[in-house]
Amino acid sequence: KGEFTMDDMDKIAKDAVDQKIVQNGFVPTTGQSDLALLFYSHNVEMYDQEKAEYVLDKAHMTDTLQWIKQLLDSKVLPAAALAAPKDDNLKAMINGESMFMVAGVWDEAKWRTRGMEKTQGNVSTDFIMQNIGVMLMPPTEKGGKPVTVSGPWTYVVSKQTKYPELAKRLLTYVSAPELQKEHDEQSSHLPFTKEGQEQIKDNVWLNANSYLINYSKFIPNDPDQPKFAKIYTDAIKNIASGKSPEETVKWMEEQMKLNLDKFTVK
């Protein structure tokens, strides 16, 4: 509902660190696709769909990097967490060493199967739900819309295929709700069709978190996305190394000129 804001989250995180309840107040994910969430939550425009070109949204990008700098300066975000493997950050979370972490619904399967909890190793879904809360990334202002992010995985069929109808039938088959259910329950991913969602009603974790899809933005489905993702990932590392947000945004523009075919500045 937008009643809980980014500022509220930051205050709780800092209080938990100051009182030594946790070691880490806020830990972002280290995955390129998921890092887009940090920017979307600050209203950064990243891509113009109609023009099929990237956007350097200087004002909102600067705001995002300034927020990250404040988290680093206040020790709410430990710089080491930005370079740590995601599994290390997940271990800290399941063991109560972090207050907030950007993660995915699918990470529940890792807590169940990778032996991360110090005393039990693998843990049950019930244990996870008793000890880990799930929420959307809160808005920056009261009444704003919270957000999450998804990667636009798409099936494609070559124009040169001799059997286009057979390919379509195959894609329909592998998207069957029953097969979605099997995959989703093993890997803790959410179904991607409404019919698939009906299949996981009895799965307490997936059913509880299926509402997240209604708040999801997507990373650009563009061939240059890996290049762009590297630029904004390295931008966060620049802040951690001591560069200012303004310097970093200028550096981003230079990198976009070097690496992207089309982009605009606003």
Side-chain angles (χ1 to χ4, degrees):
K1 297 179 180 179
E3 296 171 356
F4 183 79
T5 67
M6 189 84 68
D7 188 52
D8 294 324
M9 181 179 73
D10 295 347
K11 287 177 180 176
I12 291 172
K14 188 174 189 312
D15 192 38
V17 171
D18 290 347
Q19 293 190 47
K20 302 190 186 312
I21 297 169
V22 294
Q23 298 171 19
N24 316 309
F26 176 87
V27 178
T29 181
T30 50
Q32 286 188 347
S33 297
D34 301 332
L35 271 178
L37 177 60
L38 304 187
F39 300 103
Y40 281 140
S41 65
H42 284 77
N43 303 307
V44 174
E45 183 181 353
M46 303 181 84
Y47 193 76
D48 187 319
Q49 192 71 39
E50 291 185 4
K51 295 181 180 178
E53 65 182 22
Y54 286 94
V55 175
L56 179 59
D57 183 350
K58 284 189 171 182
H60 290 116
M61 185 66 72
T62 302
D63 287 346
T64 309
L65 296 175
Q66 184 62 49
W67 170 66
I68 292 170
K69 183 178 186 301
Q70 290 171 353
L71 293 178
L72 287 163
D73 290 347
S74 63
K75 309 300 182 185
V76 170
L77 165 59
L82 291 171
K86 187 177 182 181
D87 274 13
D88 287 357
N89 291 333
L90 286 171
K91 287 177 185 175
M93 191 72 205
I94 196 65
N95 287 293
E97 297 166 8
S98 298
M99 192 71 208
F100 297 101
M101 177 185 175
V102 179
V105 172
W106 56 89
D107 288 317
E108 190 260 357
K110 299 175 185 176
W111 285 320
R112 282 192 286 111
T113 62
R114 295 190 181 179
M116 294 182 177
E117 209 274 332
K118 288 179 179 177
T119 58
Q120 302 178 62
N122 292 339
V123 291
S124 66
T125 295
D126 182 63
F127 177 90
I128 294 165
M129 295 187 74
Q130 290 295 322
N131 290 278
I132 302 287
V134 179
M135 70 177 194
L136 295 152
M137 182 66 90
T140 55
E141 297 180 356
K142 285 273 187 187
K145 186 175 181 179
V147 66
T148 186
V149 67
S150 297
W153 295 99
T154 53
Y155 290 116
V156 295
V157 179
S158 170
K159 288 182 179 180
Q160 283 74 42
T161 182
K162 295 179 181 179
Y163 309 103
E165 292 305 315
L166 186 60
K168 290 178 185 177
R169 284 170 56 193
L170 177 61
L171 294 181
T172 301
Y173 173 73
V174 300
S175 301
E178 297 79 10
L179 294 180
Q180 288 187 57
K181 173 182 170 70
E182 182 179 343
H183 169 262
D184 297 335
E185 290 185 338
Q186 290 177 5
S187 65
S188 297
H189 279 82
L190 293 173
F192 56 88
T193 65
K194 291 180 179 179
E195 294 80 6
Q197 288 188 22
E198 288 297 319
Q199 292 284 322
I200 52 89
K201 293 281 187 179
D202 58 346
N203 183 294
V204 62
W205 174 261
L206 296 178
N207 194 46
N209 294 305
S210 61
Y211 79 96
L212 296 170
I213 292 173
N214 299 318
Y215 296 84
S216 191
K217 286 180 176 280
F218 291 88
I219 60 172
N221 196 2
D222 187 285
D224 278 340
Q225 179 57 25
K227 297 177 183 178
F228 183 58
K230 186 177 189 309
I231 292 170
Y232 63 66
T233 300
D234 288 345
I236 293 174
K237 293 177 181 177
N238 286 352
I239 298 298
S241 68
K243 288 186 178 179
S244 71
E246 293 75 16
E247 287 177 310
T248 300
V249 171
K250 184 177 180 181
W251 172 87
M252 289 183 73
E253 184 172 1
E254 294 169 354
Q255 293 301 308
M256 290 172 78
K257 287 177 181 177
L258 289 171
N259 294 284
L260 303 179
D261 292 333
K262 291 174 63 180
F263 78 95
T264 187
V265 178
K266 63 171 289 190

